[in-house]
Amino acid sequence: MTMDFEASPAEIRARAEAGEPRAQYLLAANLSREGRREEAERWLQAAARGGEPDAYYTLATRSLSTLPGTADARLLLEKAALKQSVPAIRQLAVLEAQGYGGPTDWQRAAGRMAALAQAGDVAAMRQIAGLLILQDADDENAAALIDRTALRDPVAAAVCAGRRAAGRTTGDPALASDVLKRLAAGGYPRAGELARKMIAAPPSRVPAAPDWPVIAERLSTPPAAPQIEPKRISARPDAQLFPAAVPPEIVDYVIMHAAPCLRPSMIYDSRDGSRRRDPYRKSLTASLGPADQDLVIAALIRRIGGLVGCDHDRAEFLSILRYEGGGEYRAHFDWLPEGPDIEASGQRVATALLYLNEDYSGGQTHLIFADAKVKGAIGDVLVFWNILPGGAPDEASRHASLPVLSGEKWLASLWFRSRRFVF
Ligand code: PD2
Ligand code: ZN
């Protein structure tokens, strides 16, 4: 008989003591909720020794905050994946796609995610849809997958609304609006605005069921950056704007994906290497580490890397920034002072900024060196370099985000190092 959360606490304990790994895992979870951490830890370790996949997964999640730790995480996740743990397979796919804790293997990662999606896992279906949209915003299979997940997944709901607002094929007009209205009532950012756009959009036909062999074929090559003619803003420091580099549906995806992870932004204090809050940088940031990434975020990092001309493994974590009224990032450099941080990964050579919305005033990116105030359209990517050709910090690369005067500004930033990023 399988043990689940409906068993009584006394029964769970009895079975845990009798040596059932699943019961040991559930007992650990109960004890952890009660704040009895040491006992919880002992039972969690016992469950892992007994081969309980959720225990492997829980232990793996603790090793994701440093690059060296991801090697341990990967081994635990592989064991959990062999026992069909769905969260473990999703996380393992991210590590494989990014080359964290072992070789980079995009095909394997995409194959794992497609298998989960085909088996009906909603988060995997939505990720596969996102990957297809990145290749072709009109992909019929993406429409089918988004339709099937929009009522159960907030990120899919946002993509669904964005698609309809852009006049693309997506079925039932009422489909995502209910989800979005509920999210808006719960204070989820931008949900109300998306719901309004969606309700105003004309109805369209319901897409057919997903065609899995076609999807597998589409996903068999790693994501590539599109050919986009950039607009040069400055020659030195080098600054270029890539228009429409990311489809608007993926922009909605990124916002909804990151919204629950937003925290007050920090600045780096070069005097002691600490990070702290400061009026110099007034915004919220979601810095998407390995535990917060998915394959769409990984694909987006590759795409932006392709525009910049840097491999994905040189990118720091994608950061989603939300500046409310008055929010700003005063004049600063993105290059780092001498210290342990640059010893590990090298200098922060380039900055890429992806613009996620337009409905605000003020808030332009001020490239002081070019006397240019840039307000990108949704999906535009601004790239500028923070170093001189020889690699030294460029004292001319100072820039800022001007105060937001009305509305709120959303933006994704990605900094690239001179070598592989070691976190
Ligand atoms: O939000 C911006 O426009 C901005 C401007 C300058 C962001 C950054 N720098 C940054 O994240 O480094
Ligand atoms: Zn900056």
Side-chain angles (χ1 to χ4, degrees):
M1 198 180 109
T2 56
M3 164 82 44
D4 58 33
F5 286 94
E6 276 157 37
S8 72
E11 192 184 343
I12 289 173
R13 180 170 276 279
R15 289 194 180 196
E17 284 169 356
E20 262 187 50
R22 180 74 192 153
Q24 291 169 339
Y25 173 76
L26 294 176
L27 177 57
N30 288 346
L31 290 167
S32 168
R33 269 193 297 277
E34 289 168 21
R36 294 159 68 178
R37 296 178 58 171
E38 280 176 26
E39 279 172 275
E41 184 63 24
R42 277 203 304 279
W43 285 111
L44 181 66
Q45 297 291 349
R49 281 195 301 277
E52 165 55 38
D54 283 346
Y56 291 143
Y57 173 69
T58 303
L59 291 173
T61 59
R62 296 177 181 176
S63 298
L64 292 171
S65 55
T66 67
L67 185 60
T70 57
D72 297 336
R74 197 146 156 175
L75 292 175
L76 286 162
L77 293 169
E78 277 165 357
K79 290 206 274 182
L82 284 175
K83 298 193 169 196
Q84 314 306 326
S85 160
V86 171
I89 296 171
R90 282 197 224 117
Q91 184 67 67
L92 180 57
V94 168
L95 301 195
E96 289 169 341
Q98 293 284 44
Y100 293 149
T104 304
D105 192 339
W106 180 271
Q107 265 98 338
R108 198 182 176 97
R112 282 190 197 280
M113 202 59 74
L116 281 188
Q118 195 169 355
D121 179 55
V122 169
M125 289 164 79
R126 170 259 287 170
Q127 290 186 46
I128 296 298
L131 295 178
L132 295 170
I133 291 170
L134 272 169
Q135 288 185 6
D136 172 10
D138 287 315
D139 189 290
E140 285 284 315
N141 286 306
L145 289 168
I146 286 299
D147 250 32
R148 280 164 177 74
T149 49
L151 279 176
R152 290 181 284 168
D153 178 275
V155 177
V159 174
C160 184
R163 286 178 69 79
R164 286 196 55 77
R168 291 194 202 286
T169 310
T170 278
D172 182 358
L175 190 65
S177 64
D178 287 349
V179 178
L180 288 165
K181 274 188 276 185
R182 249 181 285 142
L183 291 170
Y188 214 70
R190 275 174 55 81
E193 181 197 324
L194 280 175
R196 276 191 297 281
K197 277 201 278 181
M198 186 173 182
I199 291 160
S204 53
R205 70 191 170 78
V206 178
D211 183 335
W212 291 105
V214 170
I215 292 174
E217 166 65 25
R218 294 260 153 82
L219 298 180
S220 60
T221 46
Q227 289 298 320
I228 298 175
E229 198 51 53
K231 185 172 154 256
R232 182 166 294 287
I233 295 175
S234 159
R236 226 166 144 168
D238 184 328
Q240 306 191 72
L241 185 77
F242 294 83
V246 177
E249 294 91 334
I250 298 300
V251 164
D252 289 322
Y253 189 115
V254 171
I255 291 174
M256 279 305 202
H257 177 87
C261 309
L262 288 166
R263 307 277 178 274
S265 303
M266 301 288 189
I267 64 158
Y268 180 80
D269 190 331
S270 59
R271 287 167 302 186
D272 58 6
S274 65
R275 289 179 193 279
R276 58 180 165 79
R277 287 171 72 167
D278 193 291
Y280 219 84
R281 187 174 187 196
K282 217 169 123 219
S283 59
L284 298 171
T285 301
S287 174
L288 303 180
D292 307 312
Q293 295 172 16
D294 70 8
L295 291 195
V296 174
I297 300 298
L300 185 60
I301 290 169
R302 282 175 185 248
R303 173 175 290 223
I304 297 172
L307 301 175
V308 177
C310 291
D311 281 345
H312 68 94
D313 63 359
R314 288 169 55 189
E316 294 189 27
F317 300 145
L318 188 75
S319 287
I320 316 314
L321 312 180
R322 175 186 177 183
Y323 300 86
E324 289 160 314
E328 62 177 327
Y329 194 173
R330 293 182 200 158
H332 64 278
F333 298 105
D334 286 348
W335 48 259
L336 298 164
E338 288 297 329
D341 196 351
I342 57 173
E343 275 157 33
S345 310
Q347 188 50 270
R348 198 181 263 164
V349 294
T351 300
L353 303 178
L354 163 62
Y355 294 88
L356 301 176
N357 74 327
E358 294 170 4
D359 44 355
Y360 60 91
S361 66
Q364 305 97 322
T365 305
H366 189 193
L367 301 179
I368 298 164
F369 48 88
D371 196 22
K373 292 178 183 160
V374 181
K375 184 182 179 192
I378 290 174
D380 289 357
V381 172
L382 174 66
V383 176
F384 55 88
W385 288 76
N386 305 306
I387 53 156
L388 295 165
D394 188 345
E395 297 286 348
S397 63
R398 223 155 63 99
H399 58 275
S401 179
L402 298 175
V404 170
L405 301 176
S406 67
E408 58 181 36
K409 168 182 167 183
W410 288 78
L411 174 129
S413 74
L414 195 58
W415 290 314
F416 288 86
R417 297 304 192 94
S418 56
R419 297 193 295 276
R420 177 171 202 181
F421 177 52
V422 180
F423 47 96

